[in-house]
Amino acid sequence: ATIPVFAFADALALGRFATEAFAVRLVWMAIAAALALALPKVSPRAERILCSIVAAVTSVFFVVLVVMTGGPQSPLFHWILAVPLLIAVVIQDFPEATVLSAALMLGGGIAVELRGGVEGAVIVQWLVQAAAMSLLAYYASYTYGRLRRHERALSEVESELRARDEFLSIASHELKTPLTSLKLYVDHLVRSERSGKAVDQSKQLDVLRHHVDRIAVLVHNLLDVSRINQERLEHRPEPVDVSALVTRVCQRFDQAFV
C-alpha cells in the first residue's frame, strides 16, 4: 500500500512518473520484506545482524532515491535527517542499527550535497543538524531498549512470583494432609481413653510420630523457597519402598476411621 503513495510522491518531485525510482522502491521493499520474514527464524545473534542489514539497506536506498529525484533539490532530501529516527522506532532492541543508519545517512547526505555543488557553509550547517538528529535517534533507540529490558525483567519477576505462589499452595496442601491425619489419630486416642476402650497405644504413637516426622520434613522443604530464589535448589533423589509406602497409607486410613 505504501509503494503507490511513494510513487506518487516521486512523480510530484520529478514532474513525471519515474520508472527507475519505482523500480528502486520495489527492490527496496522486496529486500526489507525478505529480511523481516527471516527474523523470527534466526538466532538472536543473526537477528541482530539482519536488523543492521535492514537499517543499512534502508539508508542506502533512500540516498539513491534522493539522487534520482533531484539531489539537494529533491523533496526527499530533507527527510534524510528523519531516517535514523525511523530506524530507532522500528528496530527498538538494537541501538547499533540506529548508529549504522545515522552514519550512512550522514555520509550519504554529504555526498549528495557535494554532488549537487552545495556550498561548504551550507554543508556544515546541514551536518550540524544531521548530527543532532542522529544523537536524538540514538537516545530514542537507547531509551526504547531500556524500556524493553525493564518490561522483560518485570515479566520474569511476575513469572517467579506465580511459581512461588504455586509452590506455597502445594506446600500448604502437603502440610494440611499430615496435620489432618494427626488430628484424627489424636481424636481417636482421646475417644478411646474416655470410653475406656483398650487400644494399642504403642502402635498409635508410632503412627503419630511418623506424621510429626513428615511435617518436620515438609517444614524443612519450605526453606528451599529461598534457595529457589537464589537458584541454589538441590535435587536429592532417594530410593522409595513402594510396598512400605502403600502399607503405611492403608494403615493410616484403616486406623484413622476406627
Side-chain angles (χ1 to χ4, degrees):
T2 57
I3 293 179
V5 175
F6 287 131
F8 179 71
D10 295 341
L12 289 179
L14 297 175
R16 62 181 175 83
F17 176 75
T19 305
E20 63 277 13
F22 185 72
V24 169
R25 287 197 181 276
L26 285 178
V27 175
W28 176 10
M29 293 296 179
I31 295 175
L35 293 174
L37 291 174
L39 285 177
K41 305 176 183 179
V42 299
S43 65
R45 178 178 176 81
E47 180 183 6
R48 185 180 298 272
I49 295 174
L50 286 180
C51 286
S52 297
I53 293 175
V54 169
V57 168
T58 300
S59 303
V60 171
F61 272 88
F62 198 86
V63 170
V64 171
L65 284 172
V66 169
V67 173
M68 296 176 66
T69 56
Q73 288 73 38
S74 171
L76 298 177
F77 177 73
H78 299 289
W79 287 97
I80 286 181
L81 300 176
V83 172
L85 189 58
L86 175 65
I87 295 298
V89 173
V90 175
I91 308 176
Q92 300 179 0
D93 290 334
F94 305 111
E96 59 270 22
T98 302
V99 173
L100 177 60
S101 174
L104 290 174
M105 295 311 296
L106 286 172
I110 293 174
V112 169
E113 291 189 313
L114 290 175
R115 185 175 182 271
V118 178
E119 295 181 359
V122 177
I123 295 177
V124 171
Q125 183 180 3
W126 180 88
L127 185 60
V128 172
Q129 295 175 351
M133 288 296 293
S134 298
L135 290 175
L136 178 62
Y138 177 77
Y139 177 75
S141 179
Y142 176 75
T143 302
Y144 281 133
R146 287 188 60 187
L147 289 175
R148 294 290 290 272
R149 288 192 295 271
H150 289 168
E151 289 176 357
R152 285 194 290 266
L154 180 60
S155 177
E156 292 176 359
V157 170
E158 291 176 348
S159 177
E160 291 177 357
L161 288 176
R162 285 194 298 270
R164 186 198 64 181
D165 292 341
E166 182 179 357
F167 173 80
L168 291 177
S169 176
I170 295 173
S172 299
H173 176 75
E174 291 296 322
L175 276 173
K176 185 178 180 181
T177 301
L179 284 173
T180 302
S181 300
L182 187 61
K183 183 176 183 301
L184 289 173
Y185 277 109
V186 172
D187 290 342
H188 175 65
L189 286 174
V190 171
R191 288 196 303 269
S192 299
E193 181 67 25
R194 290 177 178 176
S195 63
K197 181 180 178 181
V199 294
D200 187 354
Q201 292 188 358
S202 176
K203 188 175 182 180
Q204 296 285 343
L205 291 175
D206 286 340
V207 174
L208 292 176
R209 185 178 60 183
H210 166 72
H211 286 299
V212 171
D213 291 341
R214 185 182 175 194
I215 292 173
V217 171
L218 290 173
V219 171
H220 175 75
N221 290 339
L222 281 176
L223 299 177
D224 286 337
V225 174
S226 60
R227 296 180 182 176
I228 292 175
N229 294 332
Q230 299 174 9
E231 299 181 355
R232 294 191 301 107
L233 183 63
E234 298 179 0
H235 298 279
R236 296 185 294 272
E238 297 180 356
V240 176
D241 188 342
V242 179
S243 176
L245 176 63
V246 173
T247 300
R248 287 199 303 270
V249 173
C250 292
Q251 290 176 348
R252 181 192 312 167
F253 286 96
D254 180 53
Q255 297 178 9
F257 295 100
V258 173

